[in-house]
Amino acid sequence: MKFSIIAAALAVAPAAAEIYFKEQFNDEEWKDRWTESSDWKPKSEMGKWKHTAGEWYGDKDDKGIQTSEDARFYGLSAPLSKTFNSSDGKDLVIQYSVKHEQDLDCGGAYLKLLPGGDKFNSAKFGGDTPYSVMFGPDICGSSNKRTHVILHYDKKDENFLINKDVPTETDKLTHLYTLIVRTDNTFEVLVDNKSVRSGKLEDEFDFLPDKEIKDPNESKPADWVDEPEMDDPNDVKPEGYDDIPSEIPDPDASKPDDWDDEDDGEWEPPMVDNPEYKGPWSPNRISNPDYKGPWVHPMIPNPEYAYDEKMYSVCTDGCTHLGFELWQVKTGTLFDDIIVTDSLEEAQKFAEETFFKKKDDEAEMFEEKEEAKREEQRKAAEEAAGDMDEDYLDELDDEF
């Protein structure tokens, strides 16, 4: 009996959380774990990664990797410690931190989850490499600011962008981005552990055909009246209406006293708008007694629609790598604290140990630097104003 009770308990116990990837970049060996995309673009177009904590930080010894050269491509990938396979029926959680120290004007800061296995070519990893998930900030200009969420749908073998933009952070502090794709076909995006978008996959991504379509056997009847108003049949154009000119000679004008008909020609008064002219005639409009309202095409169930229980399966054949494939005009974005797991609880625990542990101290240091910068600007402005006053006094001395 005891054995049966234990077996039953094990049968219903939740599976232990799996961590498929974790990276904190806190050692020089990070370069051994990651591979730069050396065969993606010409070397002159590729930017270099900098290992640093940044200009402001919560812990100077807690480093990340930062883009360091303007107007360059950046490619970097690493293998997962274990293949994530959606067929295992587990949630997918991707989380990492992003800091735009350069006040990013145009460039990506997103992460890609990739298939490929042993055939994955790290050196050639780039924009054309197939991917299963693309997630993270993308900014270009004042209007294009979003957090990308692009998911692969296996049945169509296509990647689909979320239908409505997800907001992103644009200040110079570190922010934490989390994507959860759940096995119940829902998803959620968190920024700094606060939900900014959630919903059903079928509602937010065009994975499935429409549930209903217009009935192909129905069409608007030929005698359908969809004009709410009509010309008044009893309204008749007044006799002589078209004879009224749009302009008439100005009745208040008179020939100038110095006008000479022989030299100046026959005088004609200037023309002015005719107050009697009402424009082209049109009959009055009245309510149409035969109006039936707008015709609505009848809808029927779409025979091609079928709910897919496995829309969440973005890595049906297994995802084996993670990578950054970016273009940045102005660089200085710092990435850190990456985790791929099947447990939101595990990701949040990692966030407490990393992002939230450093967050407040970083913000304090940033504000101190900003205040020092403002003080320097104030002093420079005062010195410039003083120089202007001295120049002005010198000019007065020269004049007198």
Side-chain angles (χ1 to χ4, degrees), residues 13-78:
E18 293 267 14
I19 296 176
Y20 301 89
F21 187 88
K22 184 185 282 189
E23 178 64 82
Q24 293 178 262
F25 299 105
N26 284 335
D27 54 43
E28 292 296 333
E29 285 69 40
W30 74 270
K31 291 182 179 179
D32 299 330
R33 298 188 293 272
W34 293 78
T35 304
E36 292 196 52
S37 303
S38 55
D39 294 338
W40 174 33
K41 298 281 183 182
K43 188 175 181 179
S44 60
E45 297 180 15
M46 297 297 294
K48 295 180 180 179
W49 294 92
K50 182 180 179 182
H51 189 215
T52 177
E55 294 185 39
W56 45 89
Y57 41 77
D59 180 350
K60 64 181 177 61
D61 296 322
D62 193 315
K63 298 181 179 181
I65 55 170
Q66 186 178 44
T67 57
S68 66
E69 296 179 89
D70 291 347
R72 292 291 189 274
F73 291 96
Y74 292 84
L76 193 69
S77 61

Side-chain angles (χ1 to χ4, degrees), residues 1 10 19 28 53 76 112 114 125 148 150 155 165 191 209 220-221 226 228 253 259 270 279 306 308 339 363 397:
M1 178 62 71
L10 290 173
I19 296 176
E28 292 296 333
L76 193 69
K112 287 184 174 181
L114 308 143
F125 166 58
H148 270 312
I150 302 177
K155 286 192 174 181
D165 281 353
V191 177
K220 185 169 73 172
D226 51 13
W259 186 274
D308 182 5
I339 186 171
D397 289 341

Side-chain angles (χ1 to χ4, degrees), residues 56-57 360-376:
W56 45 89
Y57 41 77
D360 292 341
D361 288 341
E362 179 194 294
E364 183 178 344
M365 183 176 183
F366 173 74
E367 185 52 40
E368 288 174 355
K369 285 183 172 289
E370 288 295 293
E371 180 55 37
K373 187 187 300 183
R374 288 190 290 267
E375 183 61 28
E376 288 180 8

Side-chain angles (χ1 to χ4, degrees), residues 107-155:
Y110 40 78
L111 196 60
K112 287 184 174 181
L113 185 62
L114 308 143
D118 294 337
K119 295 180 180 179
F120 184 81
N121 191 330
S122 299
K124 289 189 175 181
F125 166 58
D128 295 329
T129 304
Y131 63 90
S132 295
V133 178
M134 176 170 155
F135 171 62
D138 188 28
I139 296 171
C140 197
S142 59
S143 58
N144 184 10
K145 299 178 180 181
R146 62 170 66 93
T147 298
H148 270 312
V149 183
I150 302 177
L151 304 179
H152 183 76
Y153 185 49
D154 191 55
K155 286 192 174 181

Side-chain angles (χ1 to χ4, degrees), residues 380-393:
E382 289 172 359
E383 290 175 2
D387 291 341
M388 290 176 61
D389 290 343
E390 290 180 7
D391 292 342
Y392 177 67
L393 291 174

Side-chain angles (χ1 to χ4, degrees), residues 117-389:
D118 294 337
K119 295 180 180 179
F120 184 81
N121 191 330
S122 299
K124 289 189 175 181
F125 166 58
D128 295 329
T129 304
Y131 63 90
S132 295
V133 178
M134 176 170 155
F135 171 62
D138 188 28
I139 296 171
C140 197
S142 59
S143 58
N144 184 10
K145 299 178 180 181
R146 62 170 66 93
T147 298
H148 270 312
V149 183
I150 302 177
L151 304 179
H152 183 76
Y153 185 49
D154 191 55
K155 286 192 174 181
K156 291 184 177 180
D157 195 22
E158 290 182 47
N159 292 336
F160 288 87
L161 172 67
I162 193 169
N163 289 329
K164 294 186 293 184
D165 281 353
V166 180
T168 193
E169 297 294 331
T170 59
D171 60 33
K172 295 182 178 182
L173 296 172
T174 300
H175 292 283
L176 187 72
Y177 291 85
T178 309
L179 171 66
I180 310 115
V181 181
R182 299 186 176 92
T183 56
D184 63 356
N185 282 335
T186 64
F187 77 99
E188 189 168 13
V189 177
L190 310 177
V191 177
D192 297 344
N193 211 26
K194 296 177 182 177
S195 181
V196 295
R197 179 65 55 78
S198 63
K200 298 179 180 179
L201 293 176
E202 63 175 317
D203 294 339
E204 300 283 349
F205 297 85
D206 294 331
F207 292 157
L208 306 178
D210 293 333
K211 289 183 179 180
E212 292 185 320
I213 59 172
K214 293 178 180 179
D215 188 343
N217 297 318
E218 294 285 346
S219 60
K220 185 169 73 172
D223 60 350
W224 187 274
V225 178
D226 51 13
E227 290 290 337
E229 292 185 334
M230 58 178 285
D231 292 343
D232 185 351
N234 298 318
D235 190 18
V236 180
K237 182 165 63 175
E239 186 176 350
Y241 186 92
D242 292 338
D243 297 331
I244 301 173
S246 61
E247 292 183 329
I248 59 173
D250 185 352
D252 297 326
S254 58
K255 184 167 69 173
D257 294 337
D258 59 352
W259 186 274
D260 189 315
D261 288 343
E262 290 185 3
D263 293 338
D264 301 326
E266 184 180 355
W267 180 81
E268 294 181 356
M271 302 298 286
V272 296
D273 291 339
N274 185 356
E276 300 296 325
Y277 179 70
K278 306 299 182 185
W281 184 85
S282 61
N284 292 326
R285 302 283 287 175
I286 61 173
S287 297
N288 189 344
D290 297 324
Y291 174 62
K292 296 182 178 180
W295 185 76
V296 179
H297 203 128
M299 305 294 286
I300 61 171
N302 185 354
E304 296 183 3
Y305 174 81
Y307 186 77
D308 182 5
E309 296 285 352
K310 293 190 175 182
M311 281 181 283
Y312 68 88
S313 185
V314 295
C315 295
T316 301
D317 297 325
C319 288
T320 57
H321 288 74
L322 198 71
F324 296 99
E325 169 270 306
L326 311 171
W327 160 261
Q328 290 197 338
V329 175
K330 193 160 87 175
T331 56
T333 301
L334 193 149
F335 302 97
D336 200 4
D337 301 328
I338 307 169
I339 186 171
V340 179
T341 177
D342 55 20
S343 166
L344 178 58
E345 182 180 355
E346 193 69 37
Q348 290 178 331
K349 178 184 175 183
F350 184 57
E352 291 295 335
E353 297 169 352
T354 55
F355 171 74
F356 287 105
K357 185 178 179 180
K358 300 175 285 185
K359 177 174 172 288
D360 292 341
D361 288 341
E362 179 194 294
E364 183 178 344
M365 183 176 183
F366 173 74
E367 185 52 40
E368 288 174 355
K369 285 183 172 289
E370 288 295 293
E371 180 55 37
K373 187 187 300 183
R374 288 190 290 267
E375 183 61 28
E376 288 180 8
Q377 292 171 344
R378 281 194 291 269
K379 288 181 178 179
E382 289 172 359
E383 290 175 2
D387 291 341
M388 290 176 61
D389 290 343

